[in-house]
Amino acid sequence: ISLIGLAVGSGKFRTDAAEVMEMLLKTQTGDNEMADDDPQMSYMISAWARICKILGPDFAPYLPLVMDPIMKTASMKPEVALLDNDELNGMPDDADDWQFVSLGEQQNFGIKTAGLEDKATACQMLVCYARELKEHFVEYTEQTVKLMVPMLKFYFHDGVRAAAAESLPCLIECAKIRGPQYVQEMWAYICPELLKAIEAEPETSLVSEHLNSMARCVEILGAGCLNEQAMGELIKIVVTTLKEHFERQGERNKKRSDEDYDEGVEEQLVDEDDEDTYTLSKLGDLVHALFAAYKEQFLPCFEQILPFATKLLGAEHPWS
């Protein structure tokens, strides 16, 4: 199944893609229906998505057949446990698919990691369908939005949160065929949760993905998509992100003067520099989207950001 997906994904087999799709779907019908926890399912889901990229809108007739297993996998709730130290020590040696974090001297929080990669794969495939099929995916936008928005805070797996953020502008584009009222209702559900997710996101690398999602949503929706409260919250997030950038940069400069500084430390610091630069680039994209949408109305908000932009121009800062 994996090889079929890769072959079709190469773009050389468009004429055979429909026949291959029919062959794959035979495993989902009749007496040989594949179980939800079958290890082949994640490969099947990936193959369907690659075929979707090739067929484009022609893939739409297959959606009723593939969406159910994908939504089941994407909706999977991980098994969790709270164990004391004695219970943790009594776990069998083959319990490798559990990860535990100490919550103090006596308690340990555990999560069963089996299935999390499949969940992340399914979420990314939903992004693919929304992005590739656009208005042909509209029948599934509501249930997908209701699935994805809460997963902006799925802290068990970074890939799930990344897919959730990436999906949102794609889903808004899908929804446009149903008119502005439908889009506005969807955005009213998305916007406050996306703002909270950006503010609460613990991973710097994912903050940039959330910012990129917001920028694309603003580009699609245009002026008026953010009311006064939402705009205020977003500018506060931008200012906080910029302040944190300068704090991290200062910490990195201190480490470069420490006595234990060496090539290994520098390699790590360069990676952190690159990650920060990427986040700044997404902040730039967001500000660009806001100016494009709001024109001169955005200037009063930009005045709060301007001192940080000016500081970035200083000769002591890297060219990036």
Side-chain angles (χ1 to χ4, degrees):
I1 293 171
S2 181
L3 287 172
I4 289 172
L6 288 169
V8 175
S10 70
K12 298 178 180 178
F13 299 101
R14 179 178 173 83
T15 55
D16 300 318
E19 185 179 347
V20 171
M21 191 67 199
E22 297 287 351
M23 181 186 70
L24 291 176
L25 286 170
K26 284 181 181 178
T27 62
Q28 287 300 110
T29 58
D31 297 332
N32 298 319
E33 184 172 351
M34 191 180 293
D36 293 340
D37 59 351
D38 192 304
Q40 295 180 87
M41 182 55 73
S42 62
Y43 297 103
M44 189 78 75
I45 289 172
S46 297
W48 291 337
R50 291 189 177 107
I51 293 171
C52 176
K53 286 183 179 181
I54 300 303
L55 293 182
D58 292 339
F59 187 84
Y62 298 111
L63 279 176
L65 301 172
V66 304
M67 281 298 291
D68 186 53
I70 290 175
M71 291 299 286
K72 280 182 181 177
T73 305
S75 303
M76 186 273 295
K77 288 181 171 58
E79 188 177 342
V80 297
L82 192 62
L83 306 180
D84 61 29
N85 289 343
D86 291 339
E87 290 172 320
L88 181 62
N89 293 332
M91 288 285 287
D93 295 335
D94 60 351
D96 294 334
D97 55 350
W98 281 84
Q99 287 186 0
F100 288 92
V101 177
S102 175
L103 298 179
E105 294 183 4
Q106 295 298 323
Q107 288 190 319
N108 304 275
F109 175 80
I111 177 172
K112 193 172 184 178
T113 56
L116 287 183
E117 286 298 331
D118 291 347
K119 180 182 179 74
T121 298
C123 290
Q124 191 58 53
M125 297 310 99
L126 288 171
V127 175
C128 174
Y129 291 149
R131 184 179 60 238
E132 299 294 329
L133 298 178
K134 296 185 171 58
E135 68 271 14
H136 300 285
F137 192 72
V138 70
E139 296 294 330
Y140 304 94
T141 53
E142 186 171 342
Q143 62 176 309
T144 306
V145 164
K146 287 180 178 178
L147 172 71
M148 290 296 199
V149 168
M151 288 198 298
L152 290 168
K153 296 182 180 180
F154 189 84
Y155 297 118
F156 300 126
H157 198 287
D158 293 356
V160 171
R161 301 200 304 284
E166 187 181 357
S167 72
L168 301 179
C170 300
L171 291 166
I172 290 172
E173 277 198 306
C174 294
K176 287 170 73 175
I177 193 173
R178 287 194 171 171
Q181 182 64 33
Y182 184 75
V183 172
Q184 284 306 314
E185 289 173 1
M186 180 180 290
W187 176 238
Y189 174 63
I190 291 172
C191 183
E193 297 304 318
L194 181 54
L195 287 169
K196 289 176 189 174
I198 300 172
E199 193 170 17
E201 177 54 53
E203 296 292 335
T204 306
S205 60
L206 287 185
V207 170
S208 58
E209 300 304 323
H210 290 7
L211 290 169
N212 186 55
S213 177
M214 178 61 79
R216 287 201 56 220
C217 288
V218 171
E219 286 176 1
I220 295 166
L221 295 166
C225 63
L226 297 171
N227 59 29
E228 187 176 345
Q229 180 183 349
M231 181 68 83
E233 290 177 16
L234 183 57
I235 297 304
K236 181 182 174 183
I237 288 169
V238 171
V239 168
T240 300
T241 305
L242 286 164
K243 285 180 178 177
E244 290 173 349
H245 162 75
F246 289 116
E247 289 171 5
R248 286 192 298 269
Q249 190 177 54
E251 290 169 2
R252 287 194 292 272
N253 289 338
K254 271 186 74 174
K255 288 180 181 178
R256 287 186 168 101
S257 59
D258 287 348
E259 57 182 34
D260 57 350
Y261 171 78
D262 57 21
E263 288 184 6
V265 173
E266 176 60 23
E267 188 175 333
Q268 180 183 345
L269 296 178
V270 168
D271 288 341
E272 292 175 8
D273 278 333
D274 291 343
E275 193 173 87
D276 255 15
T277 299
Y278 184 69
T279 301
L280 286 178
S281 74
K282 295 306 170 186
L283 274 180
D285 290 344
L286 176 58
V287 172
H288 178 266
L290 290 166
F291 265 124
Y294 285 86
K295 307 293 191 292
E296 67 275 6
Q297 294 176 23
F298 182 64
L299 283 171
C301 297
F302 183 67
E303 286 180 3
Q304 300 176 55
I305 305 171
L306 186 57
F308 300 99
T310 305
K311 187 175 179 180
L312 286 168
L313 292 170
E316 72 277 13
H317 293 288
W319 65 267
S320 54

